[in-house]
Amino acid sequence: MSIPQYILKRLLAAIPTLLIISMIAFFMMRYDFTVGPINIPTPGGSWHIMDAVRVKNPINPLAGIETNPQISEAAKAQQRHMMGLDQPMYIQYWRWLTNFFAFHPEALKSGNLAGFFTPSLGKTFANEDVLELLLQRGWNTVQLNLVVFFFSWLVALPLGIFAALHWRSYTDRAMTVLASVGMSFPGFLLALLMAVFAVKTGWFPLGGIQSENYPSMNILEKLWDRALHLALPATVLIVGSLSSIQRQMRGNLLDVLAAEYVRTARAKGLPEHVVIYKHAVRTALNPLITMLGYEFSSLLGGAILIETVLGFPGLGQLAYKAVLETDTNLVMSTIILSAVMLVLGNLMADILLKFADPRIEL
């Protein structure tokens, strides 16, 4: 199968996946149904009728309004209607689905390709535009994760190769100890220590993505200010990611170096650097390419605990708050976006594997 055909096949297969994910997520937020009444047989031969039980999400997004005696019942009902909360669960879901996947075939007749698909993410319960929020918070999270992604892979891969080529040396043992410490250190605890360090020293700003006087800075000052705000959360995330990738690369390369074809290549007299970097490392990278796909999907996922502890205004913190408030449009948009990133990440990993190892068939 050619690569374009494979991409088309995977994208079509992703449609039912996204629909199922959206249904499960919507049900978890808006579940409201009635069970019963149910007739239950008793040991005496009679029947016990269990009364109907209404099962509903206990989180009321309008709790703040409905407990306010100064707001009239008419205003409360109007607010419920505006948010769609006075409709059954399946109607709410259908309204969200048709708004999100808004196709306009009539636009094609007029040659307006851009108007064929115009998804509407809607408003939050606080009447904020969901798309603007996602773009703003998502960009913050992407900046953070790109820094983590770049430094983790750039440093971890050479360290893993070096450790495997110097197996059981003092350097390998020292790197093993450091990697074990990095992987076993809880991320949220390291974030707390980083927060205390920032408060005590004042060397790094705590919270936010930029300083208040950011608009008045020149280019270099803006870059430096952004780097200082990213330093703490990026360091916390890099520690765990770097340790994990380094250990994975070391283990993969050690396995490959013991393979029969590597010994054969050495026996044929190939230069050692050709054996290592053209044959062994290339094969050892395959599992890491699969991991790369999952790393790509986490670019927007962020780290909720890290963002919360360090006050970083990312997408993870926004999604956490939205789930607590059962903000339908915001939660659903975040989940669909994360699912799309996961699909694209896996697709990218599969295609990269094909290029890295031509023996793999799509």
Side-chain angles (χ1 to χ4, degrees):
M1 183 180 296
S2 66
I3 291 180
Q5 287 177 325
Y6 181 74
I7 293 174
L8 180 61
K9 178 185 173 184
R10 289 288 299 270
L11 292 179
L12 290 176
I15 294 175
T17 304
L18 294 177
L19 284 176
I20 293 172
I21 290 173
S22 69
M23 284 191 281
I24 294 174
F26 198 92
F27 175 79
M28 295 300 293
M29 281 187 302
R30 286 279 165 267
Y31 64 88
D32 184 1
F33 55 91
T34 302
V35 179
I38 302 175
N39 292 330
I40 302 175
T42 62
S46 59
W47 291 84
H48 171 72
I49 302 176
M50 191 180 78
D51 294 336
V53 178
R54 186 180 183 187
V55 183
K56 184 180 179 181
N57 190 331
I59 301 176
N60 182 5
L62 294 178
I65 296 176
E66 293 184 345
T67 56
N68 189 342
Q70 297 181 344
I71 300 178
S72 67
E73 290 299 324
K76 294 174 185 176
Q78 185 181 10
Q79 186 67 18
R80 278 195 296 272
H81 178 71
M82 187 180 69
M83 296 167 66
L85 299 176
D86 57 344
Q87 299 291 330
M89 182 175 57
Y90 64 90
I91 292 181
Q92 292 183 46
Y93 174 73
W94 180 251
R95 288 178 58 182
W96 171 84
L97 190 67
T98 51
N99 285 332
F100 193 90
F101 297 99
F103 293 97
H104 307 283
E106 66 276 7
L108 293 179
K109 298 177 182 176
S110 58
N112 181 16
L113 294 179
F116 175 67
F117 179 53
T118 56
S120 172
L121 306 187
K123 301 282 187 180
T124 67
F125 286 167
N127 204 31
E128 297 174 288
D129 189 83
V130 172
L131 181 59
E132 288 184 8
L133 272 179
L134 288 181
L135 290 176
Q136 179 189 358
R137 294 297 194 94
W139 175 235
N140 293 342
T141 298
V142 167
Q143 290 179 74
L144 172 62
N145 283 283
L146 282 178
V147 172
V148 175
F149 186 82
F150 180 76
F151 282 102
S152 297
W153 288 78
L154 190 68
V155 176
L157 290 182
L159 287 180
I161 295 172
F162 182 87
L165 297 180
H166 298 80
W167 184 46
R168 290 187 174 177
S169 66
Y170 287 115
T171 307
D172 175 42
R173 294 177 193 278
M175 291 167 67
T176 299
V177 172
L178 290 176
S180 300
V181 171
M183 286 191 296
S184 59
F185 216 99
F188 73 94
L189 183 58
L190 183 58
L192 283 173
L193 293 175
M194 285 287 186
V196 172
F197 176 77
V199 171
K200 293 288 185 184
T201 62
W203 293 351
F204 298 97
L206 186 60
I209 187 66
Q210 62 188 33
S211 302
E212 292 183 357
N213 60 337
Y214 184 82
S216 61
M217 296 178 179
N218 59 39
I219 298 281
L220 292 178
E221 289 173 337
K222 286 181 177 178
L223 289 174
W224 179 246
D225 182 71
R226 189 58 61 93
L228 287 178
H229 282 84
L230 290 172
L232 293 184
T235 302
V236 174
L237 294 174
I238 285 174
V239 168
S241 179
L242 188 147
S243 304
S244 174
I245 296 171
Q246 189 268 340
R247 295 296 296 167
Q248 182 80 26
M249 186 64 208
R250 174 184 178 274
N252 292 347
L253 189 54
L254 284 175
D255 289 340
V256 174
L257 289 174
E260 190 69 32
Y261 75 92
V262 173
R263 287 199 295 270
T264 303
R266 282 173 170 156
K268 289 171 64 179
L270 290 178
E272 184 65 12
H273 70 276
V274 174
V275 174
I276 298 297
Y277 295 104
K278 185 175 180 180
H279 296 285
V281 170
R282 190 174 180 180
T283 305
L285 279 175
N286 286 352
L288 288 168
I289 291 176
T290 303
M291 186 190 297
L292 184 68
Y294 289 103
E295 291 278 332
F296 177 77
S297 66
S298 67
L299 281 179
L300 285 178
I304 294 176
L305 283 177
I306 307 301
E307 291 181 359
T308 303
V309 171
L310 295 176
F312 186 82
L315 195 60
Q317 192 186 50
L318 179 70
Y320 174 69
K321 184 181 176 184
V323 169
L324 291 181
E325 297 174 350
T326 64
D327 197 322
T328 310
N329 289 333
L330 187 52
V331 173
M332 295 299 293
S333 299
T334 307
I335 289 174
I336 293 298
L337 193 58
S338 299
V340 169
M341 292 291 289
L342 181 63
V343 170
L344 294 179
N346 287 331
L347 179 61
M348 181 185 70
D350 289 345
I351 294 174
L352 287 177
L353 277 174
K354 173 65 178 175
F355 283 108
D357 190 347
R359 296 171 300 174
I360 297 176
E361 293 188 2
L362 295 175

